[in-house]
């Protein structure tokens, strides 16, 4: 049974799978940011780190013992939204898991450990459940988060806390396969799940829409692919909806909307990259 723990050391954040003793670590650096093009990107480090197996094991036991009660109600789809559009001064994070979430004080504490301040928090209810929203800024500058690696670390921190305090969510999350107590029963086919489209958003920028199977590190990888063909990511939104990632990026080329040939190049690059893991594995 796998277990995971988020730990921060300096600016690095690690997520560890105890069953394999492998960790996915993020060391945020301002190499590519939302707002300008920079082709350099420091690769994500991978290091070994132990985690709190006892806590996760007890959660797993509770799930198994209370399976009849927990399974009697359908597990809602967890949703984590990283929104760079709605607030000009802060990054907005929204978390939904039906009506099962509390005040998420542990999540806010974990975000502070990443060098972030939660400047605003509110909760609202609708037909889809209870929505917890945080407006966060960098503690050292008071500005919104622009570094894709730090944005991805925020996303994975929130998901890790979901797995920690709501282990039943692991069956609905891509990270549940490695770090959860209940892995997804039906993995998503990347080829079927991947959809990419681009449309104009005025004369100065375009809107890139991506829907694909989620995986750790995806946000960073997408921004790197876009920047590699000299397209700038100005802002956007990255939604984790269960096993799917749904992305909306405002992009431009030399401060102009993408022309049709460049749109095709970007679409082909994205499609090749997103489908490449399954292609590579089947070729061996």
């Amino acid at each position: 049974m796998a277990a995971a723990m988020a730990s921060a050391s300096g600016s690095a954040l690690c997520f560890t799978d105890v069953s394999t003793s492998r960790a996915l670590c993020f060391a945020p650096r301002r190499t590519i940011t939302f707002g300008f093009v920079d082709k350099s990107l420091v690769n994500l480090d991978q290091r070994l780190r132990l985690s709190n197996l006892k806590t996760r094991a007890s959660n797993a036991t509770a799930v198994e013992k209370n399976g009849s009660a927990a399974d009697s109600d359908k597990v809602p789809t967890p949703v984590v939204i990283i929104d760079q559009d709605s607030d000009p001064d802060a990054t907005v994070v929204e978390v939904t898991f039906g009506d099962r979430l509390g005040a998420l004080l542990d999540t806010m504490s974990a975000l502070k450990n990443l060098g972030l301040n939660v400047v605003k928090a509110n909760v609202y209810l609708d037909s889809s459940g209870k929505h917890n929203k945080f407006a966060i800024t960098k503690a050292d500058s008071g500005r919104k988060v622009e570094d894709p690696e730090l944005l991805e670390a925020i996303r994975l921190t929130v998901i890790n806390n979901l797995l920690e305090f709501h282990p039943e969510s692991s069956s609905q999350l891509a990270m549940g396969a490695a770090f959860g107590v209940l892995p997804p029963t039906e993995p998503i086919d990347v080829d079927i799940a991947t959809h990419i489209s681009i449309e104009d958003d005025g004369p100065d920028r375009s809107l890139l829409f991506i829907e694909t199977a989620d995986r750790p590190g995806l946000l960073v990888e997408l921004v790197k692919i876009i920047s590699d063909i000299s397209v700038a990511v100005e802002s956007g939104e990255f939604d984790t909806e269960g096993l799917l990632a749904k992305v909306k990026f405002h992009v431009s080329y030399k401060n102009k909307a993408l022309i049709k040939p460049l749109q095709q190049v970007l679409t082909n690059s994205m499609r090749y990259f997103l489908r490449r893991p399954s292609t590579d594995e089947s070729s061996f």
Side-chain angles (χ1 to χ4, degrees):
M1 184 174 296
M5 183 180 75
S7 57
S9 177
S11 60
L13 178 76
C14 298
F15 296 86
T16 306
D17 181 358
V18 170
S19 64
T20 60
S21 297
R22 294 179 65 250
L24 176 67
C25 294
F26 291 87
R29 301 174 179 88
R30 294 183 60 85
T31 53
I32 298 178
T33 65
F34 287 83
F36 67 93
V37 177
D38 184 340
K39 292 186 179 180
S40 64
L41 178 69
V42 179
N43 293 329
L44 302 182
D45 302 314
Q46 293 198 359
R47 296 181 296 183
L48 300 178
R49 201 175 187 89
L50 295 178
S51 68
N52 191 347
L53 178 59
K54 183 177 179 180
T55 300
R56 182 57 55 83
S58 64
N59 285 341
T61 302
V63 170
E64 292 166 358
K65 287 184 177 179
N66 299 322
S68 58
D71 294 340
S72 61
D73 297 324
K74 183 179 179 181
V75 177
T77 300
V79 178
V80 178
I81 297 174
I82 307 295
D83 179 6
Q84 292 287 83
D85 284 336
S86 62
D87 191 322
D89 301 317
T91 297
V92 177
V93 178
E94 181 174 331
V95 190
T96 307
F97 187 46
D99 59 358
R100 304 188 182 196
L101 296 179
L104 299 188
L105 298 179
D106 292 280
T107 297
M108 287 191 282
S109 177
L111 292 175
K112 290 181 180 179
N113 289 338
L114 294 178
L116 303 168
N117 285 332
V118 178
V119 296
K120 188 190 307 181
N122 62 69
V123 177
Y124 69 92
L125 298 172
D126 63 15
S127 59
S128 64
K130 180 181 178 182
H131 300 254
N132 296 65
K133 295 184 71 172
F134 313 109
I136 59 178
T137 59
K138 296 185 66 176
D140 58 355
S141 65
R143 303 179 65 179
K144 70 190 304 178
V145 180
E146 295 181 331
D147 183 352
E149 289 194 17
L150 185 51
L151 289 170
E152 179 68 350
I154 292 168
R155 185 176 79 96
L156 296 187
T157 295
V158 173
I159 292 174
N160 184 73
N161 273 36
L162 268 175
L163 293 172
E164 184 70 34
F165 297 101
H166 295 276
E168 73 275 16
S169 68
S170 65
S171 64
Q172 303 271 6
L173 289 165
M175 282 182 66
F179 302 130
V181 297
L182 298 172
T185 56
E186 297 181 6
I188 289 181
D189 187 308
V190 175
D191 289 340
I192 296 176
T194 299
H195 304 280
I196 303 167
S197 63
I198 303 175
E199 61 184 45
D200 289 340
D201 185 28
D204 298 329
R205 64 183 188 177
S206 301
L207 268 175
L208 168 64
F209 298 94
I210 304 169
E211 180 175 324
T212 191
D214 187 31
R215 62 176 182 259
L218 182 60
L219 191 158
V220 178
E221 294 168 343
L222 291 178
V223 174
K224 182 181 186 300
I225 294 299
I226 297 170
S227 70
D228 280 347
I229 58 175
S230 300
V231 172
V233 180
E234 298 180 0
S235 63
E237 181 177 312
F238 193 107
D239 299 354
T240 306
E241 296 186 12
L243 300 175
L244 289 174
K246 298 182 179 181
V247 186
K248 179 186 71 175
F249 284 150
H250 296 281
V251 296
S252 64
Y253 178 71
K254 296 183 177 179
N255 298 317
K256 296 294 181 182
L258 274 57
I259 60 176
K260 293 297 181 182
L262 186 53
Q263 289 184 16
Q264 191 61 54
V265 169
L266 179 55
T267 299
N268 291 343
S269 298
M270 283 291 173
R271 197 173 301 280
Y272 170 77
F273 166 74
L274 292 171
R275 292 180 173 179
R276 186 176 57 188
S278 60
T279 302
D280 287 347
E281 290 174 3
S282 63
S283 64
F284 287 97

